[in-house]
Amino acid sequence: MIHLKRFNSLLQRSESKLVYVPMSMCHKAQFHNNNLKQPKPNQTLKKYLECNNHAKVLLLFRTLLRKKPSTFNSIDSFSCLFALKACINKKHSSIQGKQLHALIMKLGYESIIQLQTSLLKVYAEGGNLFDAHQVFEEIPTKNIICWTSLISAYVGNHQPNKGLELFRLMLMNKVEPDQVVVTVALSACADTGGLEMGEWIHDFVRRKHRMKTDLCLSNALINMYAKCGDIVNARKLFDSTRNKDVTTWTSMIVGHALHGQAHEALQLFSQMNTRRDMTKSSSSNFIVCPNDVTFIGVLMACSHAGLVEEGKRHFRSMTEEYGIEPREPHFGCMVDLLCRGGHLRDAYDFIMQMPTDSNAVIWRTLLGACSLHGDLELATEVRHKLLNLDPGYVGDSVAMSNIYAGRDMWNKKIIVRNQIKQSRTPGYSSIEAGKVVGQCITSNDNI
DNA sequence: GTAGGGTTAG
């Protein structure tokens, strides 16, 4: 990091013909030279970004920072913005965000609103909501984009209730919502099961004729209705949506799958592919191809309907026909499919052959199935795996306790139950009362 | 030349 005093002296060097723009003018702060030429490095940074080569962006930015004083001027607010964008979607984005934040302050760019919102996003991507919120608070004139970024930060970090709280606060601050912020708010409603709020937002969109509606908003509405239990309205909206994209189809397929409507989900998947084949032959620009998330919906549908062979076929076709590599959720769906179908040994073999490391949740799916089918031998083996992966999870003891009870092994059951009594935590359910709230219930209801 | 959004198992 370059020291501020040294940096200022660099700016004042006469031979470089730079002009230092004071902080008060930072809303249009840039460095200029006499020829008014754009600095070349920014074009390169932008090109790297367009190619999604984030590592190269950061490497070049670092090189520019470390260059000789006479060339240091090539860094301006746009360079910082490109560097920030390159930090988004990175594991350690919060740390890199902090470094860039410090640099932005040193360069006097902290009041440039585009940099502030990008910084907020970088912190949020790294899960650092404290600093993300702090950046938001320090923006003197918060526009709709700033609000959207903050709400999205909370929704994206599994705090949809806080996101909705901020959405309400935004409305109280008389900031006019647009189609982007309502899309985020609808996503929060879907996550919390907040149908009432979702319906209110839908009504608001219909009343605001000036608000642009686009496909993202339509998809968010379909998803909200499906997740909040109103599958009929979700389907109505889906049917009335023209030019559906992959998210439109996927949202509806997942919606049907979650409602146990496997036939409808698989029929939609089939329609989606028929349409793809038709558009392919007509060389249309609007080709909708299933993606990895679509297949999660398809596998869920098969799993919930007990369609084991069909699920296996789709799982195979995903790689063989569509070239999509399965990820953890796909393996999870397959284990669930085999378990629900009663193929417990197959599920065990499947987990053992998975190319990724198995996790506690996948083993727990199998343990639950062992409990349901009273398979003590396999359950004991699975329980052993779980004790290594996640020893403190009470639910696993409950499953074992139920298996012992089913086998009239009362002594063993009492031992496990006594262990549970020492460590149990209360369960809770949620109700919607203006907003969705968690309501604790007594721990006895858990067992 | 610059900032915000939708689909993901159990």
Side-chain angles (χ1 to χ4, degrees), chain A residues 23-177:
Chain A
M23 270 169 62
S24 58
M25 290 178 66
C26 273
H27 58 284
K28 48 184 175 183
Q30 289 150 26
F31 298 134
H32 304 277
N33 64 25
N34 284 350
N35 298 324
L36 291 173
K37 276 183 184 169
Q38 291 291 341
K40 266 190 176 175
N42 276 353
Q43 310 286 352
T44 318
L45 288 170
K46 200 178 176 190
K47 275 195 176 157
Y48 285 151
L49 257 186
E50 282 163 3
C51 304
N52 272 326
N53 200 338
H54 293 181
K56 273 198 165 179
V57 174
L58 293 174
L59 203 68
L60 175 59
F61 186 78
R62 214 167 284 160
T63 311
L64 294 171
L65 266 179
R66 288 171 185 168
K67 272 198 170 177
K68 282 186 288 182
S70 60
T71 51
F72 185 69
N73 59 59
S74 54
I75 287 195
D76 64 7
S77 66
F78 287 98
S79 329
C80 293
L81 184 73
F82 298 143
L84 280 171
K85 280 183 157 187
C87 288
I88 294 169
N89 296 327
K90 285 185 74 76
K91 240 185 182 177
H92 308 292
S93 62
S94 194
I95 300 163
Q96 287 172 331
K98 268 196 188 298
Q99 291 175 333
L100 280 165
H101 196 167
L103 180 71
I104 286 164
M105 287 178 80
K106 277 188 178 180
L107 298 179
Y109 294 152
E110 72 264 46
S111 58
I112 299 178
I113 199 160
Q114 289 91 345
L115 289 181
Q116 288 168 317
T117 45
S118 291
L119 203 48
L120 194 165
K121 194 174 177 183
V122 169
Y123 280 132
E125 285 288 328
N128 184 351
L129 286 174
F130 180 84
D131 283 326
H133 206 135
Q134 190 67 32
V135 170
F136 174 81
E137 290 300 339
E138 285 170 8
I139 302 174
T141 316
K142 300 166 177 64
N143 63 21
I144 184 70
I145 299 178
C146 305
W147 279 98
T148 311
S149 302
L150 185 68
I151 295 167
S152 178
Y154 279 99
V155 179
N157 280 284
H158 315 291
Q159 293 192 40
N161 269 325
K162 179 73 183 174
L164 286 174
E165 191 185 310
L166 286 161
F167 179 67
R168 288 191 195 91
L169 189 64
M170 187 195 87
L171 296 175
M172 283 194 284
N173 277 272
K174 310 276 181 218
V175 178
E176 183 73 17

Side-chain angles (χ1 to χ4, degrees), chain A residues 233-365:
Chain A
N233 256 322
R235 185 60 195 251
K236 271 186 193 164
L237 278 170
F238 172 83
D239 289 335
S240 64
T241 304
R242 288 181 182 185
N243 296 329
K244 303 171 179 67
D245 70 359
V246 63
T247 308
T248 324
W249 288 94
T250 304
S251 301
M252 202 60 237
I253 290 170
V254 170
H256 280 307
L258 287 172
H259 283 78
Q261 298 169 335
H263 177 71
E264 286 83 351
L266 295 173
Q267 201 175 34
L268 277 188
F269 181 66
S270 166
Q271 273 181 34
M272 185 184 182
N273 286 305
T274 312
R275 218 167 266 220
R276 182 174 66 112
D277 294 338
M278 279 164 57
T279 44
K280 250 184 190 173
S281 57
S282 67
S283 64
S284 162
N285 290 329
F286 207 78
I287 296 174
V288 179
C289 200
N291 62 18
D292 58 333
V293 188
T294 318
F295 275 96
I296 293 172
V298 169
L299 295 175
M300 271 167 68
C302 294
S303 171
H304 292 180
L307 303 170
V308 178
E309 289 311 313
E310 188 155 1
K312 282 182 181 173
R313 191 169 56 75
H314 284 300
F315 184 75
R316 277 195 302 272
S317 82
M318 189 169 80
T319 36
E320 289 168 9
E321 285 178 44
Y322 296 85
I324 300 169
E325 281 303 310
R327 293 180 294 112
E328 208 174 282
H330 301 99
F331 294 124
C333 282
M334 283 306 288
V335 172
D336 193 43
L337 174 87
L338 295 167
C339 286
R340 285 181 198 241
H343 305 273
L344 306 191
R345 271 288 156 192
D346 288 347
Y348 179 87
D349 294 339
F350 185 89
I351 299 173
M352 294 303 283
Q353 285 166 18
M354 275 175 7
T356 54
D357 285 342
S358 56
N359 60 34
V361 180
I362 281 194
W363 283 114
R364 200 158 282 139
T365 306

Side-chain angles (χ1 to χ4, degrees), chain A residues 1 74 82 110 153 177 222 224 339 342 385 388 398:
Chain A
M1 203 66 78
S74 54
F82 298 143
E110 72 264 46
I222 293 167
M224 183 277 295
C339 286
K385 303 255 184 213
N388 288 327
V398 175

